[in-house]
Amino acid sequence: MLAYERIGSGEPLVLVHGIGHRRQAWYPVVDRLAEKREVVLVDLPGHGESPALVPDGRPVRDILRDILEDCFVELGLERPHIAGNSLGGRIALEAAADDLVSSATTLAPAGFWRNKVDFAYIRAVFTLLTGAATIAQPVAPAILKTGPGRAAAFGLLMTKGNRLSPEAALGDLRGLVHARPALETIIDGGFPFDRPIDPSIPITVAWGTRDLVLLPYQATRAQQALPDADHISLPGCGHVPMIDDVERVVDVLLTGSDHPRLGQRRYDVA
């Protein structure tokens, strides 16, 4: 069973973090969301406090789908809303394609790179991040005590890393090192998203204009692949936008999980 937290009341909204991260990634926005939703935060396999990700010969996508579906059953969730960042966004799209959810809201979802060269760049970014986090462990507490230190340490992931508390930053750094085996397994099994989604399931795709991991050109590819979705630009935000623009991200997540009739809500892409 995945490690999880349930907070608030209302329609269930499951939040899925990105690769190498942990459920605490959503803490900057969770209190606001919990005013209108029952928010369910989960740690992915091999991340945070969840059990290890165990390869069994099947595609990683299938393993993660089955684990997510089992989690829904364990928690008594029937077609909840789901939202995810990066890998979590890809998982949300897969859940929508499998008709497991009522809506899917994604922040820079994985799966829209152009070719093998672009995917090699993504792999290199995470190799750099995990390697640097591992090497920095002995000095990390001192570095992360300062705002500039946190901004530098998380500069590839967010534009306002200085807003993280020292405790949250250290937890994220240690979480990245802990998740390294799962991260490598997931990246090794990576491939583009190309599945159809029933048009009755509302889909939202939001992308930071300063994303240095899944570069913003991928937002255009997502528009082409998901023409019925709402596509939103997050000005000034990086790959993990939850701390870069709390108000905007809360609005995107609440609107995306609001069960409107498809076609009634539309945003302009900046």
Side-chain angles (χ1 to χ4, degrees):
M1 178 62 183
L2 299 179
Y4 70 93
E5 297 176 62
R6 298 179 87 152
I7 305 166
S9 60
E11 291 192 47
L13 172 61
V14 178
L15 300 180
V16 188
H17 62 77
I19 193 168
H21 218 155
R22 55 191 187 133
R23 67 182 188 271
Q24 288 84 353
W26 300 101
Y27 277 8
V29 299
V30 72
D31 287 343
R32 291 281 311 280
L33 294 175
E35 295 173 4
K36 297 185 177 181
R37 301 284 185 274
E38 180 189 22
V39 182
V40 182
L41 312 171
V42 298
D43 282 330
L44 289 172
H47 294 71
E49 298 174 318
S50 283
L53 174 63
V54 181
D56 61 7
R58 294 181 297 153
V60 173
R61 177 181 70 184
D62 295 347
I63 297 172
L64 294 176
R65 180 196 62 222
D66 289 351
I67 290 172
L68 183 68
E69 195 167 6
D70 288 346
C71 180
F72 287 176
V73 172
E74 289 278 348
L75 296 178
L77 300 173
E78 184 176 354
R79 288 180 59 102
H81 300 281
I82 191 170
N85 173 223
S86 191
L87 170 65
R90 170 65 178 268
I91 290 171
L93 292 177
E94 296 283 355
D98 289 326
D99 200 27
L100 298 177
V101 294
S102 293
S103 71
T105 305
T106 66
L107 309 176
F112 297 99
W113 54 84
R114 202 164 21 213
N115 51 41
K116 291 182 179 179
V117 173
D118 288 358
F119 188 65
Y121 166 79
I122 297 166
R123 182 190 294 271
V125 167
F126 283 105
T127 299
L128 172 63
L129 287 171
T130 55
T134 301
I135 293 170
Q137 289 297 294
V139 297
I143 293 173
L144 299 177
K145 281 184 179 179
T146 70
R150 296 192 294 277
F154 292 90
L156 275 174
L157 297 174
M158 56 193 73
T159 60
K160 297 180 174 65
N162 59 298
R163 292 181 176 175
L164 288 168
S165 69
E167 295 77 19
L170 185 59
D172 284 351
L173 199 71
R174 289 172 174 168
L176 177 58
V177 175
H178 167 72
R180 187 170 188 167
L183 183 153
E184 292 174 350
T185 297
I186 292 167
I187 288 182
D188 284 346
F191 57 92
F193 180 80
D194 61 357
R195 301 180 65 195
I197 296 175
D198 190 314
S200 69
I201 301 175
I203 304 296
T204 303
V205 180
W207 223 291
T209 60
R210 295 176 62 186
D211 193 326
L212 300 179
V213 179
L214 301 181
L215 301 178
Y217 82 83
Q218 296 189 36
T220 301
R221 292 178 60 81
Q223 282 183 281
Q224 295 167 350
L226 301 167
D228 293 325
D230 288 335
H231 293 272
I232 304 169
S233 179
L234 302 175
C237 289
H239 183 60
V240 182
M242 291 83 84
I243 202 162
D244 289 339
D245 192 338
V246 172
E247 297 298 323
R248 181 65 166 148
V249 170
V250 167
D251 179 66
V252 168
L253 295 176
L254 289 177
T255 303
S257 59
D258 207 22
H259 256 322
R261 191 175 69 199
L262 192 64
Q264 286 187 333
R265 60 187 165 87
R266 285 290 176 260
Y267 295 80
D268 292 330
V269 177

